[in-house]
Amino acid sequence: MNFFNFADWLVILAYLLGIIGLGVWFGKDQRNTRDYFLGSKNIPWWGIGLSIVAAETSALTIISVPAMAYGGNMAFLQIIVGYVIARILLAVVMVPHYLKGEIYSPYQLLENSFGPSARQLAGGFFLISETLAAGVRVYVASIPVKLMLGDQLLGFGTGDPILGAILLFVVLSLFYTYVGGVKAVIWTDAVQFVLFMAGGLFTLFYIPTLMEGGAGALFAKAAAAGKTHWFNPEFSLCLPFNIWMGVIGGTFVVLSSHGAEQLIVQRVLACRTVADGRKALVLSAAVIFPLFFVFLLVGVMLWAYYQQTPMAIPIPEIKPGSGIKANDYIYPIFMMTAVPHVLKGFLIVAILSAAMSSVSSALTSLASVSTMDFVKPLARKERSAAFYLSFSKASTVAWAALLILVAYLSREVEYVLNAAFSLRGLTSGALLGALMLVLLWRKGTALPVVIGATASLIVMIFVSRFDWTQTTAAGEVVQVKVAWPWFTLIGTTVTLAVAWLTRAVLRRKPSPAA
């Protein structure tokens, strides 16, 4: 079935060419790693603020957030409360540390306080977790995009439409990231944010025009079915989402992702001043709540729409362990079958823009850490600025190839997929705990930090695999486990406790002279 006409393809092609052209434009003045990884520190704060939101918003987010409301309700909004709180805390506490002097990653703060081994451990944790997580994001986003763009187009030259979708995301993102560095990534992210936010707002206003009674009847039906419910005051370590999970767990998740992981911190480091860094984070806080609110409302509206309208095409068969659920197809199916031509092209562009922004962000952050936290500090002789710029670009290509490999393996090896989805939660507490020790201890030896972070990883592997039986109010026995928003808090607590205990033991140990 052909869902697109010439005008739709023209919109998609214009977007792809425009994004690549924008990246090339910003890549014309790359002279050294400061230009490539810090954007010459001349990017306005508002562009960086929009880029922060785009970097954390993958295509899967745009697809799965409406799916959550479609299959349940708007309770995920409670998690976003913590996302906002964390950004404010980071703006107040951490930004002055990031912009005191000129650093390329938060892991340099660890070396300044505890030595190179602490920096390299944290950098290694980030490289592994981000490679797996980003590779899987590409793969999972490729599944519904395959449905939208079709097997024939994406199978070009490969005979495999999923591989074609993976190559589309990674190669196009690589092109402008390779040429323009973080400056190209930030500006294309800002444009891509506008595109997928506009796509959500369009859907929000468009669906009521398709329904008898308009928005009033739609929300009345949704409210009667409990779809607009968002507040759960009951404390629980397990799903469903609750306000404690949002305010406490969600806050710690973002304290780590935006305070201790290079993917987001790199953008703050590109700010001119502390004031600019704070304004960028506060802008992202102001934007993130309405972004998720819009897409959760889209899911509520899609539920109401499909109560009265048969689904034009069936939901494809879901591969076990694929990381995508049946409801994740609802929004793409609506785009393809219920939206007029041209506008349909713009909605597909919204999904593509979210996918490409997350890929380009991963590439520049991985290249930055591998070059500036490993290769340059460990080099045995002085190298020129041109050498490190060339190496940075080469490493960007190497990370792109690795993302393609991880994304492709994710469809074949369930272990890789499951590990990738959980690994960021496994390492996030270790990274945040190590950074908190910089603030608490100022100076010290690396051993307590290394032992604390390693212990956190071991404990979190156990926590992620541990589950137990629980009887519901209806008398049903179900398997439950600790929900992911608590992972960072647990890991951070373990890191701090073990590091503190290790330091106490080392201090009590008698010196050899005694």
Side-chain angles (χ1 to χ4, degrees):
M1 187 181 297
N2 187 12
F3 296 106
F4 300 97
N5 65 11
F6 176 77
D8 297 322
W9 289 118
L10 194 61
V11 168
I12 295 170
L13 181 62
Y15 158 74
L16 295 175
L17 292 176
I19 286 296
I20 291 172
L22 189 65
V24 171
W25 170 260
F26 284 111
K28 63 184 186 297
D29 58 352
Q30 304 295 309
R31 300 182 184 88
N32 51 46
T33 52
R34 187 177 189 270
D35 297 330
Y36 199 66
F37 292 133
L38 298 179
S40 309
K41 283 188 170 285
N42 61 8
I43 305 171
W45 63 267
W46 55 267
I48 292 173
L50 296 181
S51 173
I52 288 171
V53 180
E56 62 186 307
T57 308
S58 67
L60 184 60
T61 305
I62 300 302
I63 292 168
S64 64
V65 169
M68 282 192 285
Y70 179 94
N73 53 36
M74 298 180 65
F76 188 74
L77 208 57
Q78 297 166 107
I79 302 296
I80 311 306
V81 174
Y83 287 10
V84 173
I85 294 171
R87 285 165 161 82
I88 305 301
L89 291 174
L90 290 170
V92 173
V93 177
M94 287 307 303
V95 169
H97 293 276
Y98 296 147
L99 297 174
K100 185 179 181 181
E102 187 168 283
I103 64 173
Y104 284 79
S105 82
Y107 316 125
Q108 286 180 246
L109 297 177
L110 290 172
E111 180 174 19
N112 294 342
S113 293
F114 306 121
S117 57
R119 175 184 185 176
Q120 288 154 16
L121 178 72
F125 274 13
F126 172 76
L127 292 177
I128 295 170
S129 63
E130 182 57 30
T131 302
L132 290 174
V136 169
R137 286 197 302 268
V138 172
Y139 164 63
V140 177
S142 298
I143 301 173
V145 168
K146 167 184 173 292
L147 175 69
M148 291 186 288
L149 296 184
D151 291 358
Q152 289 185 342
L153 173 71
L154 294 175
F156 63 95
T158 67
D160 185 340
I162 289 291
L163 179 57
I166 292 170
L167 291 172
L168 174 71
F169 291 148
V170 178
V171 173
L172 290 177
S173 302
L174 169 64
F175 190 85
Y176 66 79
T177 305
Y178 177 90
V179 173
V182 77
K183 185 180 291 187
V185 170
I186 287 173
W187 281 117
T188 53
D189 277 358
V191 171
Q192 288 162 337
F193 166 80
V194 172
L195 290 172
F196 61 69
M197 187 65 175
L201 288 171
F202 164 76
T203 310
L204 201 63
F205 288 101
Y206 178 66
I207 294 178
T209 68
L210 305 178
M211 300 186 63
E212 186 177 344
L218 183 156
F219 281 112
K221 179 183 290 188
K227 291 292 177 180
T228 56
H229 176 73
W230 71 273
F231 185 72
N232 176 13
E234 296 182 7
F235 178 85
S236 173
L237 290 176
C238 314
L239 296 176
F241 298 114
N242 57 75
I243 191 64
W244 306 103
M245 191 181 290
V247 171
I248 302 173
T251 297
F252 271 83
V253 167
V254 173
L255 284 176
S256 179
S257 64
H258 290 52
E261 296 183 13
Q262 176 72 348
L263 186 75
I264 302 298
V265 177
Q266 185 176 17
R267 285 151 174 75
V268 180
L269 297 176
C271 291
R272 296 186 187 99
T273 63
V274 170
D276 279 358
R278 285 174 165 165
K279 286 188 284 187
L281 276 172
V282 170
L283 175 62
S284 75
V287 167
I288 194 68
F289 194 91
L291 173 69
F292 276 85
F293 184 63
V294 164
F295 282 99
L296 285 167
L297 281 179
V298 165
V300 169
M301 289 184 168
L302 288 171
W303 177 85
Y305 174 75
Y306 282 116
Q307 295 303 300
Q308 70 173 39
T309 306
M311 204 164 289
I313 57 176
I315 293 174
E317 183 179 350
I318 307 298
K319 177 184 174 182
S322 67
I324 194 167
K325 302 178 178 65
N327 286 342
D328 291 334
Y329 281 100
I330 300 298
Y331 195 18
I333 288 174
F334 175 80
M335 292 180 191
M336 291 187 298
T337 60
V339 177
H341 291 297
V342 180
L343 292 174
K344 181 183 301 185
F346 278 107
L347 283 183
I348 300 303
V349 160
I351 300 296
L352 292 174
S353 64
M356 291 174 64
S357 68
S358 63
V359 172
S360 61
S361 300
L363 291 178
T364 190
S365 61
L366 290 167
S368 174
V369 171
S370 59
T371 302
M372 306 306 293
D373 288 299
F374 285 92
V375 173
K376 191 171 184 178
L378 297 175
R380 295 184 177 181
K381 61 180 181 178
E382 281 292 321
R383 298 281 191 173
S384 66
F387 169 84
Y388 285 113
L389 178 61
S390 297
F391 183 88
S392 301
K393 292 190 172 188
S395 67
T396 303
V397 176
W399 287 114
L402 194 54
L403 290 191
I404 293 171
L405 178 63
V406 171
Y408 192 75
L409 286 177
S410 296
R411 60 176 296 172
E412 304 293 342
V413 184
E414 188 172 339
Y415 172 77
V416 173
L417 186 65
N418 292 338
F421 270 122
S422 60
L423 192 58
R424 173 164 283 171
L426 303 185
T427 59
S428 61
L431 292 175
L432 178 59
L435 203 61
M436 289 177 70
L437 290 172
V438 172
L439 303 180
L440 295 169
W441 290 353
R442 305 289 183 182
K443 291 288 183 179
T445 59
L447 188 59
V449 180
V450 171
I451 293 176
T454 305
S456 174
L457 176 60
I458 294 169
V459 169
M460 292 314 302
I461 291 173
F462 170 77
V463 170
S464 68
R465 294 176 176 274
F466 177 74
D467 56 23
W468 65 94
T469 58
Q470 182 172 297
T471 304
T472 66
E476 182 184 3
V477 178
V478 294
Q479 292 289 121
V480 294
K481 61 194 326 178
V482 176
W484 61 265
W486 294 113
F487 278 23
T488 305
L489 173 58
I490 297 170
T492 302
T493 303
V494 172
T495 303
L496 294 175
V498 172
W500 227 294
L501 180 61
T502 304
R503 188 172 76 155
V505 170
L506 291 175
R507 284 182 170 180
R508 290 181 181 179
K509 186 177 179 181
S511 65

